[in-house]
Amino acid sequence: MSRWYAIVGRDVPGSLERRLAARPAHLSRLEALRDAGRLLLAGPFPAIDSPDPGPAGYSGSLIVAEFEDLEAARAWAGADPYVAAGVYAEVAVQPFRKVLP
């Protein structure tokens, strides 16, 4: 039985170029989750209060998706291209309980 997990990645300051370079591979993995019906939501945290933060970049990302268990969610998060590219300073994975909508 799959459950929801929240994955929060916090960006290394000044990692915008690395983020942009790794973005296509990162999105490809998210699209695979979406196509499998396992993605609730995903998106970045702009570093400033703007829909397009420009050179200010992003401070991190949030992904909420279904996995078999916490170990599977951690393994998936650890294999993210943003991790390999050094975009994320840290990644937290925890169970998530969807209530609404």
Side-chain angles (χ1 to χ4, degrees):
M1 176 175 161
S2 294
R3 295 183 300 267
W4 295 109
Y5 292 89
I7 300 168
V8 178
R10 297 286 178 197
D11 286 20
V12 170
S15 61
L16 182 59
E17 280 187 34
R18 285 177 276 174
R19 176 183 267 274
L20 294 175
R23 188 170 187 262
H26 172 79
L27 290 179
S28 178
R29 295 178 82 233
L30 292 172
E31 290 163 352
L33 283 177
R34 178 200 62 204
D35 294 348
R38 296 174 43 207
L39 183 65
L40 181 63
L41 64 89
F45 300 120
I48 60 174
D49 189 12
S50 172
D52 180 3
Y58 299 90
S59 63
S61 302
L62 169 65
I63 299 164
V64 179
E66 275 187 310
F67 295 94
E68 286 300 313
D69 55 30
L70 185 57
E71 294 293 321
R74 285 182 175 152
W76 188 92
D80 193 295
Y82 283 175
V83 171
V87 173
Y88 290 152
E90 64 179 335
V91 178
V93 181
Q94 60 191 57
F96 178 82
R97 184 170 164 223
K98 182 179 183 282
V99 176
L100 295 170

PDB file of all heavy atoms in Angstrom, residues 46-86:
ATOM      1  N   PRO A  46      10.535  30.169  -4.670  1.00  0.00           N
ATOM      2  CA  PRO A  46      11.304  31.337  -5.122  1.00  0.00           C
ATOM      3  C   PRO A  46      12.011  31.988  -3.924  1.00  0.00           C
ATOM      4  O   PRO A  46      11.456  32.058  -2.829  1.00  0.00           O
ATOM      5  CB  PRO A  46      10.243  32.268  -5.706  1.00  0.00           C
ATOM      6  CG  PRO A  46       9.104  31.355  -6.079  1.00  0.00           C
ATOM      7  CD  PRO A  46       9.112  30.288  -5.010  1.00  0.00           C
ATOM      8  N   ALA A  47      13.225  32.458  -4.153  1.00  0.00           N
ATOM      9  CA  ALA A  47      14.005  33.077  -3.079  1.00  0.00           C
ATOM     10  C   ALA A  47      13.445  34.439  -2.680  1.00  0.00           C
ATOM     11  O   ALA A  47      13.723  34.918  -1.586  1.00  0.00           O
ATOM     12  CB  ALA A  47      15.463  33.207  -3.495  1.00  0.00           C
ATOM     13  N   ILE A  48      12.667  35.049  -3.583  1.00  0.00           N
ATOM     14  CA  ILE A  48      12.010  36.318  -3.288  1.00  0.00           C
ATOM     15  C   ILE A  48      10.529  36.175  -3.614  1.00  0.00           C
ATOM     16  O   ILE A  48      10.133  35.240  -4.297  1.00  0.00           O
ATOM     17  CB  ILE A  48      12.642  37.498  -4.073  1.00  0.00           C
ATOM     18  CG1 ILE A  48      12.527  37.262  -5.577  1.00  0.00           C
ATOM     19  CG2 ILE A  48      14.080  37.721  -3.637  1.00  0.00           C
ATOM     20  CD1 ILE A  48      12.991  38.431  -6.438  1.00  0.00           C
ATOM     21  N   ASP A  49       9.723  37.086  -3.146  1.00  0.00           N
ATOM     22  CA  ASP A  49       8.278  37.019  -3.355  1.00  0.00           C
ATOM     23  C   ASP A  49       7.931  37.478  -4.774  1.00  0.00           C
ATOM     24  O   ASP A  49       7.503  38.609  -4.991  1.00  0.00           O
ATOM     25  CB  ASP A  49       7.555  37.869  -2.319  1.00  0.00           C
ATOM     26  CG  ASP A  49       6.051  37.666  -2.349  1.00  0.00           C
ATOM     27  OD1 ASP A  49       5.585  36.717  -2.999  1.00  0.00           O
ATOM     28  OD2 ASP A  49       5.340  38.465  -1.718  1.00  0.00           O
ATOM     29  N   SER A  50       8.160  36.560  -5.732  1.00  0.00           N
ATOM     30  CA  SER A  50       7.918  36.859  -7.134  1.00  0.00           C
ATOM     31  C   SER A  50       7.706  35.548  -7.876  1.00  0.00           C
ATOM     32  O   SER A  50       8.394  34.565  -7.595  1.00  0.00           O
ATOM     33  CB  SER A  50       9.121  37.596  -7.728  1.00  0.00           C
ATOM     34  OG  SER A  50       8.986  37.722  -9.122  1.00  0.00           O
ATOM     35  N   PRO A  51       6.771  35.523  -8.845  1.00  0.00           N
ATOM     36  CA  PRO A  51       6.589  34.292  -9.621  1.00  0.00           C
ATOM     37  C   PRO A  51       7.818  33.981 -10.478  1.00  0.00           C
ATOM     38  O   PRO A  51       8.064  32.834 -10.819  1.00  0.00           O
ATOM     39  CB  PRO A  51       5.362  34.562 -10.478  1.00  0.00           C
ATOM     40  CG  PRO A  51       5.090  36.017 -10.387  1.00  0.00           C
ATOM     41  CD  PRO A  51       5.790  36.540  -9.177  1.00  0.00           C
ATOM     42  N   ASP A  52       8.602  35.003 -10.835  1.00  0.00           N
ATOM     43  CA  ASP A  52       9.857  34.809 -11.563  1.00  0.00           C
ATOM     44  C   ASP A  52      10.955  35.529 -10.794  1.00  0.00           C
ATOM     45  O   ASP A  52      11.142  36.736 -10.941  1.00  0.00           O
ATOM     46  CB  ASP A  52       9.748  35.360 -12.985  1.00  0.00           C
ATOM     47  CG  ASP A  52      11.035  35.175 -13.770  1.00  0.00           C
ATOM     48  OD1 ASP A  52      12.005  34.569 -13.241  1.00  0.00           O
ATOM     49  OD2 ASP A  52      11.095  35.639 -14.916  1.00  0.00           O
ATOM     50  N   PRO A  53      11.695  34.799  -9.954  1.00  0.00           N
ATOM     51  CA  PRO A  53      12.685  35.446  -9.103  1.00  0.00           C
ATOM     52  C   PRO A  53      13.950  35.892  -9.822  1.00  0.00           C
ATOM     53  O   PRO A  53      14.813  36.508  -9.204  1.00  0.00           O
ATOM     54  CB  PRO A  53      12.994  34.382  -8.056  1.00  0.00           C
ATOM     55  CG  PRO A  53      12.771  33.106  -8.779  1.00  0.00           C
ATOM     56  CD  PRO A  53      11.613  33.367  -9.702  1.00  0.00           C
ATOM     57  N   GLY A  54      14.053  35.583 -11.115  1.00  0.00           N
ATOM     58  CA  GLY A  54      15.223  36.002 -11.876  1.00  0.00           C
ATOM     59  C   GLY A  54      16.514  35.531 -11.240  1.00  0.00           C
ATOM     60  O   GLY A  54      16.601  34.399 -10.763  1.00  0.00           O
ATOM     61  N   PRO A  55      17.526  36.384 -11.168  1.00  0.00           N
ATOM     62  CA  PRO A  55      18.827  35.962 -10.636  1.00  0.00           C
ATOM     63  C   PRO A  55      18.811  35.641  -9.142  1.00  0.00           C
ATOM     64  O   PRO A  55      19.742  35.021  -8.647  1.00  0.00           O
ATOM     65  CB  PRO A  55      19.747  37.137 -10.942  1.00  0.00           C
ATOM     66  CG  PRO A  55      18.865  38.299 -11.212  1.00  0.00           C
ATOM     67  CD  PRO A  55      17.554  37.739 -11.702  1.00  0.00           C
ATOM     68  N   ALA A  56      17.752  36.032  -8.428  1.00  0.00           N
ATOM     69  CA  ALA A  56      17.655  35.666  -7.004  1.00  0.00           C
ATOM     70  C   ALA A  56      17.519  34.157  -6.857  1.00  0.00           C
ATOM     71  O   ALA A  56      17.899  33.578  -5.850  1.00  0.00           O
ATOM     72  CB  ALA A  56      16.477  36.376  -6.338  1.00  0.00           C
ATOM     73  N   GLY A  57      16.939  33.510  -7.880  1.00  0.00           N
ATOM     74  CA  GLY A  57      16.842  32.055  -7.877  1.00  0.00           C
ATOM     75  C   GLY A  57      15.824  31.500  -6.904  1.00  0.00           C
ATOM     76  O   GLY A  57      14.791  32.121  -6.629  1.00  0.00           O
ATOM     77  N   TYR A  58      16.151  30.351  -6.373  1.00  0.00           N
ATOM     78  CA  TYR A  58      15.227  29.590  -5.534  1.00  0.00           C
ATOM     79  C   TYR A  58      15.914  29.171  -4.245  1.00  0.00           C
ATOM     80  O   TYR A  58      17.135  29.036  -4.195  1.00  0.00           O
ATOM     81  CB  TYR A  58      14.727  28.361  -6.299  1.00  0.00           C
ATOM     82  CG  TYR A  58      13.993  28.760  -7.549  1.00  0.00           C
ATOM     83  CD1 TYR A  58      14.653  28.918  -8.756  1.00  0.00           C
ATOM     84  CD2 TYR A  58      12.636  29.036  -7.508  1.00  0.00           C
ATOM     85  CE1 TYR A  58      13.980  29.337  -9.900  1.00  0.00           C
ATOM     86  CE2 TYR A  58      11.946  29.452  -8.639  1.00  0.00           C
ATOM     87  CZ  TYR A  58      12.628  29.597  -9.827  1.00  0.00           C
ATOM     88  OH  TYR A  58      11.960  30.028 -10.945  1.00  0.00           O
ATOM     89  N   SER A  59      15.116  28.951  -3.222  1.00  0.00           N
ATOM     90  CA  SER A  59      15.671  28.512  -1.948  1.00  0.00           C
ATOM     91  C   SER A  59      15.475  27.019  -1.718  1.00  0.00           C
ATOM     92  O   SER A  59      16.011  26.466  -0.768  1.00  0.00           O
ATOM     93  CB  SER A  59      15.042  29.300  -0.796  1.00  0.00           C
ATOM     94  OG  SER A  59      13.651  29.040  -0.722  1.00  0.00           O
ATOM     95  N   GLY A  60      14.711  26.372  -2.595  1.00  0.00           N
ATOM     96  CA  GLY A  60      14.492  24.939  -2.450  1.00  0.00           C
ATOM     97  C   GLY A  60      13.293  24.477  -3.243  1.00  0.00           C
ATOM     98  O   GLY A  60      12.779  25.204  -4.099  1.00  0.00           O
ATOM     99  N   SER A  61      12.850  23.267  -2.941  1.00  0.00           N
ATOM    100  CA  SER A  61      11.733  22.653  -3.663  1.00  0.00           C
ATOM    101  C   SER A  61      10.900  21.793  -2.723  1.00  0.00           C
ATOM    102  O   SER A  61      11.404  21.286  -1.723  1.00  0.00           O
ATOM    103  CB  SER A  61      12.246  21.741  -4.784  1.00  0.00           C
ATOM    104  OG  SER A  61      13.049  22.426  -5.698  1.00  0.00           O
ATOM    105  N   LEU A  62       9.646  21.600  -3.118  1.00  0.00           N
ATOM    106  CA  LEU A  62       8.728  20.703  -2.404  1.00  0.00           C
ATOM    107  C   LEU A  62       8.151  19.719  -3.402  1.00  0.00           C
ATOM    108  O   LEU A  62       7.693  20.104  -4.480  1.00  0.00           O
ATOM    109  CB  LEU A  62       7.585  21.492  -1.760  1.00  0.00           C
ATOM    110  CG  LEU A  62       6.416  20.678  -1.207  1.00  0.00           C
ATOM    111  CD1 LEU A  62       6.867  19.806  -0.035  1.00  0.00           C
ATOM    112  CD2 LEU A  62       5.282  21.601  -0.786  1.00  0.00           C
ATOM    113  N   ILE A  63       8.170  18.453  -3.037  1.00  0.00           N
ATOM    114  CA  ILE A  63       7.549  17.385  -3.822  1.00  0.00           C
ATOM    115  C   ILE A  63       6.710  16.570  -2.855  1.00  0.00           C
ATOM    116  O   ILE A  63       7.184  16.202  -1.775  1.00  0.00           O
ATOM    117  CB  ILE A  63       8.613  16.476  -4.467  1.00  0.00           C
ATOM    118  CG1 ILE A  63       9.500  17.277  -5.419  1.00  0.00           C
ATOM    119  CG2 ILE A  63       7.954  15.289  -5.181  1.00  0.00           C
ATOM    120  CD1 ILE A  63      10.795  16.577  -5.792  1.00  0.00           C
ATOM    121  N   VAL A  64       5.467  16.292  -3.217  1.00  0.00           N
ATOM    122  CA  VAL A  64       4.637  15.370  -2.448  1.00  0.00           C
ATOM    123  C   VAL A  64       4.214  14.270  -3.419  1.00  0.00           C
ATOM    124  O   VAL A  64       3.564  14.546  -4.430  1.00  0.00           O
ATOM    125  CB  VAL A  64       3.411  16.057  -1.816  1.00  0.00           C
ATOM    126  CG1 VAL A  64       2.579  15.037  -1.038  1.00  0.00           C
ATOM    127  CG2 VAL A  64       3.837  17.202  -0.904  1.00  0.00           C
ATOM    128  N   ALA A  65       4.613  13.050  -3.100  1.00  0.00           N
ATOM    129  CA  ALA A  65       4.366  11.929  -4.012  1.00  0.00           C
ATOM    130  C   ALA A  65       4.145  10.647  -3.227  1.00  0.00           C
ATOM    131  O   ALA A  65       4.451  10.568  -2.035  1.00  0.00           O
ATOM    132  CB  ALA A  65       5.546  11.763  -4.964  1.00  0.00           C
ATOM    133  N   GLU A  66       3.612   9.664  -3.926  1.00  0.00           N
ATOM    134  CA  GLU A  66       3.339   8.350  -3.328  1.00  0.00           C
ATOM    135  C   GLU A  66       4.528   7.417  -3.503  1.00  0.00           C
ATOM    136  O   GLU A  66       5.087   7.316  -4.601  1.00  0.00           O
ATOM    137  CB  GLU A  66       2.144   7.696  -4.014  1.00  0.00           C
ATOM    138  CG  GLU A  66       0.810   8.108  -3.472  1.00  0.00           C
ATOM    139  CD  GLU A  66      -0.308   7.287  -4.090  1.00  0.00           C
ATOM    140  OE1 GLU A  66      -0.349   7.174  -5.324  1.00  0.00           O
ATOM    141  OE2 GLU A  66      -1.137   6.768  -3.329  1.00  0.00           O
ATOM    142  N   PHE A  67       4.872   6.745  -2.407  1.00  0.00           N
ATOM    143  CA  PHE A  67       5.910   5.718  -2.424  1.00  0.00           C
ATOM    144  C   PHE A  67       5.443   4.564  -1.548  1.00  0.00           C
ATOM    145  O   PHE A  67       4.561   4.721  -0.720  1.00  0.00           O
ATOM    146  CB  PHE A  67       7.238   6.278  -1.899  1.00  0.00           C
ATOM    147  CG  PHE A  67       7.811   7.351  -2.783  1.00  0.00           C
ATOM    148  CD1 PHE A  67       7.551   8.690  -2.525  1.00  0.00           C
ATOM    149  CD2 PHE A  67       8.599   7.025  -3.872  1.00  0.00           C
ATOM    150  CE1 PHE A  67       8.064   9.683  -3.344  1.00  0.00           C
ATOM    151  CE2 PHE A  67       9.113   8.013  -4.693  1.00  0.00           C
ATOM    152  CZ  PHE A  67       8.846   9.340  -4.428  1.00  0.00           C
ATOM    153  N   GLU A  68       6.077   3.425  -1.724  1.00  0.00           N
ATOM    154  CA  GLU A  68       5.710   2.243  -0.938  1.00  0.00           C
ATOM    155  C   GLU A  68       5.980   2.445   0.546  1.00  0.00           C
ATOM    156  O   GLU A  68       5.218   1.988   1.387  1.00  0.00           O
ATOM    157  CB  GLU A  68       6.466   1.008  -1.436  1.00  0.00           C
ATOM    158  CG  GLU A  68       5.946   0.480  -2.753  1.00  0.00           C
ATOM    159  CD  GLU A  68       4.481   0.068  -2.688  1.00  0.00           C
ATOM    160  OE1 GLU A  68       4.088  -0.642  -1.741  1.00  0.00           O
ATOM    161  OE2 GLU A  68       3.728   0.473  -3.589  1.00  0.00           O
ATOM    162  N   ASP A  69       7.088   3.100   0.856  1.00  0.00           N
ATOM    163  CA  ASP A  69       7.454   3.327   2.253  1.00  0.00           C
ATOM    164  C   ASP A  69       8.495   4.447   2.328  1.00  0.00           C
ATOM    165  O   ASP A  69       8.935   4.970   1.295  1.00  0.00           O
ATOM    166  CB  ASP A  69       7.966   2.041   2.916  1.00  0.00           C
ATOM    167  CG  ASP A  69       9.126   1.394   2.175  1.00  0.00           C
ATOM    168  OD1 ASP A  69       9.924   2.118   1.525  1.00  0.00           O
ATOM    169  OD2 ASP A  69       9.245   0.158   2.237  1.00  0.00           O
ATOM    170  N   LEU A  70       8.881   4.793   3.533  1.00  0.00           N
ATOM    171  CA  LEU A  70       9.825   5.873   3.755  1.00  0.00           C
ATOM    172  C   LEU A  70      11.171   5.585   3.095  1.00  0.00           C
ATOM    173  O   LEU A  70      11.794   6.487   2.522  1.00  0.00           O
ATOM    174  CB  LEU A  70       9.994   6.117   5.267  1.00  0.00           C
ATOM    175  CG  LEU A  70      10.867   7.292   5.679  1.00  0.00           C
ATOM    176  CD1 LEU A  70      10.375   8.607   5.087  1.00  0.00           C
ATOM    177  CD2 LEU A  70      10.930   7.369   7.193  1.00  0.00           C
ATOM    178  N   GLU A  71      11.616   4.351   3.159  1.00  0.00           N
ATOM    179  CA  GLU A  71      12.897   3.989   2.534  1.00  0.00           C
ATOM    180  C   GLU A  71      12.861   4.231   1.032  1.00  0.00           C
ATOM    181  O   GLU A  71      13.817   4.759   0.457  1.00  0.00           O
ATOM    182  CB  GLU A  71      13.220   2.520   2.815  1.00  0.00           C
ATOM    183  CG  GLU A  71      13.483   2.212   4.263  1.00  0.00           C
ATOM    184  CD  GLU A  71      14.761   2.858   4.774  1.00  0.00           C
ATOM    185  OE1 GLU A  71      15.764   2.893   4.042  1.00  0.00           O
ATOM    186  OE2 GLU A  71      14.742   3.356   5.916  1.00  0.00           O
ATOM    187  N   ALA A  72      11.760   3.877   0.377  1.00  0.00           N
ATOM    188  CA  ALA A  72      11.633   4.091  -1.073  1.00  0.00           C
ATOM    189  C   ALA A  72      11.606   5.579  -1.393  1.00  0.00           C
ATOM    190  O   ALA A  72      12.217   6.026  -2.374  1.00  0.00           O
ATOM    191  CB  ALA A  72      10.378   3.401  -1.604  1.00  0.00           C
ATOM    192  N   ALA A  73      10.924   6.367  -0.563  1.00  0.00           N
ATOM    193  CA  ALA A  73      10.876   7.816  -0.774  1.00  0.00           C
ATOM    194  C   ALA A  73      12.267   8.423  -0.605  1.00  0.00           C
ATOM    195  O   ALA A  73      12.688   9.268  -1.403  1.00  0.00           O
ATOM    196  CB  ALA A  73       9.883   8.455   0.193  1.00  0.00           C
ATOM    197  N   ARG A  74      12.992   7.985   0.416  1.00  0.00           N
ATOM    198  CA  ARG A  74      14.354   8.493   0.635  1.00  0.00           C
ATOM    199  C   ARG A  74      15.290   8.104  -0.510  1.00  0.00           C
ATOM    200  O   ARG A  74      16.121   8.908  -0.936  1.00  0.00           O
ATOM    201  CB  ARG A  74      14.900   7.983   1.960  1.00  0.00           C
ATOM    202  CG  ARG A  74      14.302   8.679   3.151  1.00  0.00           C
ATOM    203  CD  ARG A  74      14.905   8.174   4.439  1.00  0.00           C
ATOM    204  NE  ARG A  74      14.409   8.946   5.566  1.00  0.00           N
ATOM    205  CZ  ARG A  74      14.309   8.472   6.801  1.00  0.00           C
ATOM    206  NH1 ARG A  74      14.663   7.235   7.078  1.00  0.00           N
ATOM    207  NH2 ARG A  74      13.853   9.248   7.762  1.00  0.00           N
ATOM    208  N   ALA A  75      15.152   6.880  -0.990  1.00  0.00           N
ATOM    209  CA  ALA A  75      15.996   6.430  -2.104  1.00  0.00           C
ATOM    210  C   ALA A  75      15.709   7.249  -3.353  1.00  0.00           C
ATOM    211  O   ALA A  75      16.634   7.667  -4.066  1.00  0.00           O
ATOM    212  CB  ALA A  75      15.772   4.939  -2.365  1.00  0.00           C
ATOM    213  N   TRP A  76      14.431   7.497  -3.633  1.00  0.00           N
ATOM    214  CA  TRP A  76      14.063   8.295  -4.810  1.00  0.00           C
ATOM    215  C   TRP A  76      14.615   9.708  -4.668  1.00  0.00           C
ATOM    216  O   TRP A  76      15.205  10.255  -5.606  1.00  0.00           O
ATOM    217  CB  TRP A  76      12.547   8.312  -4.979  1.00  0.00           C
ATOM    218  CG  TRP A  76      12.114   8.944  -6.251  1.00  0.00           C
ATOM    219  CD1 TRP A  76      11.887   8.319  -7.451  1.00  0.00           C
ATOM    220  CD2 TRP A  76      11.850  10.343  -6.474  1.00  0.00           C
ATOM    221  NE1 TRP A  76      11.513   9.242  -8.401  1.00  0.00           N
ATOM    222  CE2 TRP A  76      11.483  10.485  -7.829  1.00  0.00           C
ATOM    223  CE3 TRP A  76      11.896  11.468  -5.674  1.00  0.00           C
ATOM    224  CZ2 TRP A  76      11.160  11.716  -8.386  1.00  0.00           C
ATOM    225  CZ3 TRP A  76      11.576  12.705  -6.230  1.00  0.00           C
ATOM    226  CH2 TRP A  76      11.212  12.812  -7.571  1.00  0.00           C
ATOM    227  N   ALA A  77      14.449  10.311  -3.501  1.00  0.00           N
ATOM    228  CA  ALA A  77      14.929  11.671  -3.269  1.00  0.00           C
ATOM    229  C   ALA A  77      16.450  11.744  -3.376  1.00  0.00           C
ATOM    230  O   ALA A  77      16.992  12.706  -3.935  1.00  0.00           O
ATOM    231  CB  ALA A  77      14.462  12.172  -1.905  1.00  0.00           C
ATOM    232  N   GLY A  78      17.140  10.744  -2.884  1.00  0.00           N
ATOM    233  CA  GLY A  78      18.600  10.733  -2.931  1.00  0.00           C
ATOM    234  C   GLY A  78      19.162  10.618  -4.331  1.00  0.00           C
ATOM    235  O   GLY A  78      20.299  11.013  -4.588  1.00  0.00           O
ATOM    236  N   ALA A  79      18.356  10.092  -5.260  1.00  0.00           N
ATOM    237  CA  ALA A  79      18.783   9.935  -6.653  1.00  0.00           C
ATOM    238  C   ALA A  79      18.384  11.130  -7.524  1.00  0.00           C
ATOM    239  O   ALA A  79      18.567  11.095  -8.736  1.00  0.00           O
ATOM    240  CB  ALA A  79      18.190   8.644  -7.224  1.00  0.00           C
ATOM    241  N   ASP A  80      17.855  12.188  -6.921  1.00  0.00           N
ATOM    242  CA  ASP A  80      17.418  13.356  -7.689  1.00  0.00           C
ATOM    243  C   ASP A  80      18.620  14.022  -8.369  1.00  0.00           C
ATOM    244  O   ASP A  80      19.669  14.178  -7.747  1.00  0.00           O
ATOM    245  CB  ASP A  80      16.730  14.357  -6.756  1.00  0.00           C
ATOM    246  CG  ASP A  80      15.987  15.426  -7.523  1.00  0.00           C
ATOM    247  OD1 ASP A  80      16.649  16.223  -8.231  1.00  0.00           O
ATOM    248  OD2 ASP A  80      14.762  15.471  -7.424  1.00  0.00           O
ATOM    249  N   PRO A  81      18.472  14.425  -9.623  1.00  0.00           N
ATOM    250  CA  PRO A  81      19.554  15.134 -10.306  1.00  0.00           C
ATOM    251  C   PRO A  81      20.011  16.405  -9.591  1.00  0.00           C
ATOM    252  O   PRO A  81      21.174  16.798  -9.719  1.00  0.00           O
ATOM    253  CB  PRO A  81      18.960  15.454 -11.680  1.00  0.00           C
ATOM    254  CG  PRO A  81      17.959  14.371 -11.906  1.00  0.00           C
ATOM    255  CD  PRO A  81      17.372  14.103 -10.543  1.00  0.00           C
ATOM    256  N   TYR A  82      19.135  17.042  -8.841  1.00  0.00           N
ATOM    257  CA  TYR A  82      19.544  18.218  -8.076  1.00  0.00           C
ATOM    258  C   TYR A  82      20.525  17.838  -6.972  1.00  0.00           C
ATOM    259  O   TYR A  82      21.394  18.631  -6.607  1.00  0.00           O
ATOM    260  CB  TYR A  82      18.336  18.941  -7.483  1.00  0.00           C
ATOM    261  CG  TYR A  82      17.543  19.774  -8.463  1.00  0.00           C
ATOM    262  CD1 TYR A  82      16.368  20.383  -8.073  1.00  0.00           C
ATOM    263  CD2 TYR A  82      17.955  19.976  -9.775  1.00  0.00           C
ATOM    264  CE1 TYR A  82      15.629  21.166  -8.942  1.00  0.00           C
ATOM    265  CE2 TYR A  82      17.223  20.742 -10.659  1.00  0.00           C
ATOM    266  CZ  TYR A  82      16.059  21.347 -10.236  1.00  0.00           C
ATOM    267  OH  TYR A  82      15.336  22.120 -11.110  1.00  0.00           O
ATOM    268  N   VAL A  83      20.409  16.645  -6.418  1.00  0.00           N
ATOM    269  CA  VAL A  83      21.363  16.173  -5.416  1.00  0.00           C
ATOM    270  C   VAL A  83      22.716  15.955  -6.092  1.00  0.00           C
ATOM    271  O   VAL A  83      23.747  16.442  -5.623  1.00  0.00           O
ATOM    272  CB  VAL A  83      20.862  14.875  -4.742  1.00  0.00           C
ATOM    273  CG1 VAL A  83      21.943  14.264  -3.861  1.00  0.00           C
ATOM    274  CG2 VAL A  83      19.593  15.140  -3.927  1.00  0.00           C
ATOM    275  N   ALA A  84      22.713  15.238  -7.216  1.00  0.00           N
ATOM    276  CA  ALA A  84      23.959  14.950  -7.931  1.00  0.00           C
ATOM    277  C   ALA A  84      24.659  16.224  -8.404  1.00  0.00           C
ATOM    278  O   ALA A  84      25.889  16.291  -8.424  1.00  0.00           O
ATOM    279  CB  ALA A  84      23.674  14.026  -9.115  1.00  0.00           C
ATOM    280  N   ALA A  85      23.872  17.240  -8.774  1.00  0.00           N
ATOM    281  CA  ALA A  85      24.441  18.489  -9.287  1.00  0.00           C
ATOM    282  C   ALA A  85      24.874  19.450  -8.182  1.00  0.00           C
ATOM    283  O   ALA A  85      25.417  20.511  -8.475  1.00  0.00           O
ATOM    284  CB  ALA A  85      23.425  19.173 -10.198  1.00  0.00           C
ATOM    285  N   GLY A  86      24.620  19.099  -6.929  1.00  0.00           N
ATOM    286  CA  GLY A  86      25.007  19.972  -5.830  1.00  0.00           C
ATOM    287  C   GLY A  86      24.090  21.165  -5.639  1.00  0.00           C
ATOM    288  O   GLY A  86      24.485  22.168  -5.058  1.00  0.00           O
TER     289      GLY A  86
END
